Amino acid sequence: MELEKKILSCEIKELYNMDDQKFQDLCKINLKNLEELGIYGKKSTITNIDSLSESSFLNLKDLSISNSKIENINILSKMPFKNLKTLILCDNNINNIDILGDVSFYHLTKLCFEGNKICNIDILSKVPFPNLTNLNLSKNNISDIKSLAQCTFNKLEYLNLIGNNIDNINPLSSQCFTNIKNLLLALNKIIDINVLSKVYFHDLEELDLENNLINDIDVFSKVPFKKLLNLNLKGNNIQFIDALNQATFTNLQLLNISKNSIQNYFSLLNIPFKDILLLYVDLSQNIKMNSFGINSHFQNLFTKALIKVDN
């Protein structure tokens, strides 16, 4: 009863370290007016969420069950989540999300399956997400993202695919990604990024391509990235950066091209950064690069920038 009072009074919106029995007990409480529920904790051992079918969470808008051991989410198809805006099921053991095809997510704006065991995401192309702005599928086992080309993410602004096995990002040429602001593709196996020239990412602010297999960055000379603030190319196979000379980086603040094989940093001195408030440049650990004198050269151009060149 004490827990029920605290939840009903909104004194508690987050619960920690729950097990199956505690979750079942929670679902028996009359919480028909509850709008937010978060269950977290490294000691959480929830494996079964079927008791949701017995709950009164009819008006829930934000549901998060993270750091547990959930494998099966089929119960979601039986839940009348008509007002659900946020669904977070990160750091579990989920490997199949096909059940999403039986659920209506008209109001959903944020969907997060970070840190699971998902391989197949074809179902995303079969479910309408008219209001989705944030999609996080990072740290899974995804290698094929072809289905994303058929998705209806007309309002998507944040896409996180970090830490998968993706080697082909051509599906991102779909027009449904034109409103993306944050595109996070680090820790994959991407070689070719020329597909980025096929879509005008007019609102893109963050592009994270760290730790891939990229060697050609000519795409930056072909398409304007006028709103880009953060460009991370750390840990790739880049040798030549002349393409950056023709880039349109009107607002770039953070540039990280460390841990590559850049041979000549002087081409950076020709990059049109005249009107940019560049704050940080990381050129460190480029084995073939002679960094002699780089600090003085860059500091003369970017008086507010922190230049990191130690090898």
Side-chain angles (χ1 to χ4, degrees):
M1 288 297 294
E2 186 65 26
L3 177 61
E4 181 177 354
K5 289 180 180 179
K6 289 183 177 181
I7 294 177
L8 289 173
S9 65
C10 295
E11 184 178 341
I12 293 180
K13 293 182 180 179
E14 299 178 351
L15 300 170
Y16 294 87
N17 303 329
M18 300 193 77
D19 56 24
D20 284 335
Q21 185 58 56
K22 291 179 180 178
F23 185 69
Q24 290 176 20
D25 293 341
L26 174 68
C27 291
K28 293 177 182 178
I29 300 175
N30 185 2
L31 300 172
K32 63 181 180 180
N33 294 318
L34 187 68
E35 294 187 353
E36 300 177 36
L37 177 61
I39 299 175
Y40 311 95
K42 293 183 179 180
K43 294 182 180 179
S44 289
T45 58
I46 300 173
T47 60
N48 190 320
I49 58 174
D50 287 353
S51 51
L52 277 174
S53 62
E54 304 171 9
S55 71
S56 58
F57 303 153
L58 302 178
N59 294 302
L60 208 59
K61 293 182 179 179
D62 301 289
L63 174 62
S64 176
I65 306 177
S66 304
N67 297 108
S68 287
K69 299 180 180 180
I70 301 168
E71 295 183 10
N72 190 315
I73 59 172
N74 288 345
I75 191 62
L76 294 180
S77 65
K78 300 179 181 180
M79 297 303 299
F81 289 144
K82 296 181 180 180
N83 300 314
L84 198 65
K85 292 185 177 182
T86 300
L87 178 60
I88 300 175
L89 294 169
C90 64
D91 296 315
N92 283 286
N93 295 320
I94 301 166
N95 57 27
N96 190 320
I97 59 173
D98 286 351
I99 194 62
L100 297 182
D102 298 326
V103 186
S104 175
F105 289 120
Y106 181 82
H107 295 288
L108 198 70
T109 60
K110 182 176 182 179
L111 179 62
C112 177
F113 282 108
E114 176 183 355
N116 281 283
K117 299 178 181 180
I118 300 167
C119 297
N120 190 314
I121 58 172
D122 289 351
I123 191 63
L124 295 180
S125 65
K126 303 173 184 178
V127 181
F129 292 94
N131 293 297
L132 193 69
T133 60
N134 186 312
L135 177 61
N136 188 341
L137 295 168
S138 62
K139 299 178 184 178
N140 280 283
N141 299 318
I142 301 166
S143 57
D144 187 346
I145 61 171
K146 291 178 182 176
S147 58
L148 292 183
Q150 284 80 46
C151 290
T152 54
F153 298 145
N154 296 325
K155 295 183 180 181
L156 196 67
E157 297 180 351
Y158 177 97
L159 178 60
N160 189 340
L161 294 170
I162 290 175
N164 282 285
N165 298 309
I166 301 166
D167 59 6
N168 187 331
I169 60 171
N170 286 339
L172 297 183
S173 63
S174 170
Q175 291 299 313
C176 70
F177 297 109
T178 56
N179 295 318
I180 288 283
K181 292 183 178 180
N182 305 86
L183 182 56
L184 311 180
L185 300 168
L187 294 167
N188 280 288
K189 300 176 181 179
I190 301 166
I191 298 175
D192 187 354
I193 60 172
N194 283 311
V195 65
L196 298 179
S197 66
K198 297 180 180 180
V199 177
Y200 181 23
F201 294 99
H202 51 81
D203 289 322
L204 192 64
E205 296 178 357
E206 178 182 15
L207 179 58
D208 187 355
L209 293 163
E210 179 177 341
N211 285 343
N212 278 284
L213 303 172
I214 301 164
N215 53 37
D216 182 353
I217 58 172
D218 284 351
V219 64
F220 296 110
S221 65
K222 301 174 182 178
V223 181
F225 292 88
K226 294 183 178 180
K227 292 187 178 181
L228 193 64
L229 300 173
N230 185 343
L231 175 58
N232 187 357
L233 295 168
K234 177 182 178 180
N236 281 281
N237 298 324
I238 302 168
Q239 294 185 36
F240 304 102
I241 54 177
D242 294 342
L244 296 180
N245 293 345
Q246 287 80 45
T248 306
F249 294 141
T250 310
N251 292 290
L252 195 66
Q253 295 182 1
L254 304 174
L255 173 63
N256 192 338
I257 47 178
S258 63
K259 294 187 178 181
N260 280 282
S261 300
I262 299 172
Q263 299 182 25
N264 183 1
Y265 74 85
F266 283 104
S267 59
L268 279 177
L269 301 178
N270 298 318
I271 297 177
F273 285 152
K274 186 179 298 183
D275 299 319
I276 294 178
L277 295 174
L278 197 65
L279 301 178
Y280 181 78
V281 180
D282 192 340
L283 299 167
S284 62
Q285 300 183 56
N286 279 286
I287 299 174
K288 298 181 180 180
M289 188 178 74
N290 178 4
S291 63
F292 179 76
I294 190 171
N295 266 321
S296 58
H297 281 294
F298 269 89
Q299 291 299 348
N300 287 335
L301 285 177
F302 319 119
T303 56
K304 295 182 179 180
L306 172 64
I307 315 297
K308 184 177 180 181
V309 297
D310 54 296
N311 287 289

